[in-house]
């Protein structure tokens, strides 16, 4: 069971994150994206701080930990979510799905350079099978491209920042626990997005709107789900997964989120579910399963 735990946590995180799109779409109908990010990470940090206060979370912040984990916490969530929101606003959802699906490729390149991690041929096939599944789901939602080069560049930078996070979290796990890493990430998200949202409201003369957003039921529920589950809990699970298995293999788990989001949209928002979407979801799950199954088989053969 202990050997399976990193895979269980990785899949669980991806499934929780898959439902986040439903709540995000609902919330940004009422408030700006950066206001919502401020609410989300405020709840995330408050939740972890409560667990820390009652002794359920063993972590602490020091000058050394801020120095060691500061860049990681800046990259994820501050840089990643800022680039993602900006890129999605400037492009189509199809372009976003295609470009963000390249994250494992960036992870593969960076992990070879910095972590000396490699995938065998079967694992590479599995990774690209999952990526093809994401592309199939994206294409099943309709062909629509924008002509905004800036938006595409923001999304490429977003994918690259996600890959950097995978590498940094993997390296940080040799000195810090998943709880330490997650707590610092939520702290930076809380402070960073809080400042961005407040300054934006101040410049536009809408400071009252910054606080009034949480009075909207749909926004409050979405912020609680995304803050507690899809941020604090999910990133803890991902950081734990990255501390136990190579970044190259862990990087494919988020593909499961795409499949979960597809079916969640069909069930809860009456979105169209096509045969191509179903095939794409199957490809994703097979790819995620095989990339780790082939690794286990390789280990067993090495022990013989």
């Amino acid at each position: 069971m202990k050997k399976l735990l990193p895979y269980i946590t990785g899949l669980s995180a991806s499934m929780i994150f898959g439902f986040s799109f439903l709540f995000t779409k609902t919330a940004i109908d009422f408030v700006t994206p950066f206001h919502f990010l401020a609410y989300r990470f405020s709840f995330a940090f408050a939740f972890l701080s409560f667990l820390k206060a009652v002794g359920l979370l063993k972590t602490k912040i020091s000058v050394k930990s801020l120095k060691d984990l500061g860049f990681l916490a800046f990259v994820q969530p501050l840089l990643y979510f800022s680039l993602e929101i900006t890129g999605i606003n400037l492009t189509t959802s199809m372009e976003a799905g295609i470009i963000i699906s390249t994250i494992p490729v960036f992870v593969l390149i960076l992990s070879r350079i910095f972590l000396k991690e490699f995938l065998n041929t079967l694992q590479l096939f599995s990774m690209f099978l999952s990526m093809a599944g994401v592309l199939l789901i994206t294409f099943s939602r309709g062909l629509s491209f924008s002509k905004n080069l800036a938006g595409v560049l923001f999304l490429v930078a977003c994918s690259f920042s996600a890959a950097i996070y995978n590498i940094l979290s993997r390296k940080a796990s040799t000195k810090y626990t998943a709880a330490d890493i997650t707590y610092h990430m939520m702290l930076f998200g809380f402070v960073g997005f809080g400042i961005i949202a407040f300054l934006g409201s101040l410049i536009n003369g809408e400071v009252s709107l910054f606080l009034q957003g949480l009075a909207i039921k749909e926004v409050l529920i979405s912020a609680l789900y995304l803050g507690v589950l899809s941020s604090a809990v999910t990133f803890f699970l991902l950081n734990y997964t990255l501390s136990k298995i190579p970044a190259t293999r862990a990087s494919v788990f988020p593909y499961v989120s795409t499949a979960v989001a597809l079916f969640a949209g069909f069930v809860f928002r009456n979105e169209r579910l096509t045969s191509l979407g179903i095939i794409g979801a199957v490809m994703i799950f097979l790819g995620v399963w095989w990339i780790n199954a082939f690794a286990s088989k390789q280990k067993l053969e090495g022990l013989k």
Side-chain angles (χ1 to χ4, degrees):
M1 183 64 184
K2 190 175 180 180
K3 292 182 179 179
L4 290 175
L5 192 56
Y7 305 102
I8 295 172
T9 55
L11 286 172
S12 298
S14 297
M15 293 185 73
I16 293 171
F17 191 70
F19 284 98
S20 69
F21 298 106
L22 289 174
F23 292 94
T24 300
K25 286 180 180 179
T26 300
I28 60 177
D29 286 339
F30 300 93
V31 296
T32 67
F34 278 102
H35 276 190
F36 184 65
L37 285 173
Y39 301 150
R40 171 179 180 168
F41 284 96
S42 293
F43 278 116
F45 183 65
F47 173 68
L48 290 184
S49 295
F50 170 76
L51 294 182
K52 185 175 183 292
V54 298
L56 294 177
L57 187 70
K58 305 296 183 182
T59 183
K60 62 180 180 179
I61 291 179
S62 64
V63 174
K64 187 176 187 304
S65 68
L66 287 171
K67 181 180 177 181
D68 291 344
L69 299 175
F71 184 59
L72 184 157
F74 169 76
V75 169
Q76 179 70 283
L78 280 176
L79 185 61
Y80 173 83
F81 280 104
S82 297
L83 292 170
E84 182 187 58
I85 280 183
T86 306
I88 288 175
N89 282 340
L90 293 174
T91 60
T92 66
S93 58
M94 182 176 182
E95 287 171 309
I98 291 173
I99 296 171
I100 290 176
S101 71
T102 61
I103 290 173
V105 176
F106 286 117
V107 173
L108 178 64
I109 295 170
L110 293 178
S111 61
R112 278 176 176 260
I113 297 172
F114 296 105
L115 301 178
K116 308 305 179 185
E117 295 178 357
F118 300 92
L119 293 177
N120 59 40
T121 303
L122 291 175
Q123 288 175 307
L124 283 172
F125 169 77
S126 301
M127 183 180 76
F128 285 107
L129 178 66
S130 285
M131 184 183 296
V134 172
L135 297 180
L136 202 58
I137 289 175
T138 306
F139 277 97
S140 74
R141 294 181 174 179
L143 294 170
S144 176
F145 290 94
S146 72
K147 295 181 180 180
N148 196 315
L149 178 61
V152 172
L153 293 176
F154 272 114
L155 289 172
V156 171
C158 168
S159 298
F160 190 70
S161 70
I164 293 174
Y165 155 69
N166 274 260
I167 303 303
L168 292 176
S169 179
R170 177 73 173 162
K171 292 187 72 173
S173 67
T174 60
K175 293 175 62 178
Y176 294 93
T177 66
D180 291 327
I181 297 170
T182 307
Y183 192 74
H184 283 73
M185 289 171 63
M186 297 307 105
L187 169 63
F188 270 65
F190 163 62
V191 174
F193 287 124
I195 292 174
I196 292 171
F198 182 75
L199 289 179
S201 297
L202 193 63
I203 292 171
N204 295 322
E206 302 172 340
V207 176
S208 60
L209 293 179
F210 175 68
L211 300 175
Q212 289 172 5
L214 286 175
I216 303 171
K217 182 182 69 174
E218 290 84 357
V219 175
L220 179 61
I221 293 172
S222 297
L224 281 170
Y225 178 86
L226 289 168
V228 176
L229 282 177
S230 196
S231 294
V233 174
T234 295
F235 278 117
F236 173 79
L237 295 174
L238 285 176
N239 287 325
Y240 175 80
T241 299
L242 284 164
S243 72
K244 300 298 180 183
I245 62 176
T248 46
R249 280 155 53 191
S251 67
V252 298
F253 283 117
Y255 280 158
V256 175
S257 299
T258 303
V260 172
L262 175 73
F263 289 105
F266 171 71
V267 173
F268 296 105
R269 293 178 65 95
N270 297 316
E271 294 179 356
R272 188 164 58 101
L273 181 63
T274 66
S275 56
L276 282 180
I278 295 173
I279 294 171
V282 172
M283 291 167 66
I284 289 172
F285 282 107
L286 283 176
V288 171
W289 173 266
W290 284 344
I291 195 171
N292 290 289
F294 289 144
S296 299
K297 182 178 179 181
Q298 187 180 38
K299 283 184 179 180
L300 287 173
E301 288 177 348
L303 293 173
K304 290 180 181 179

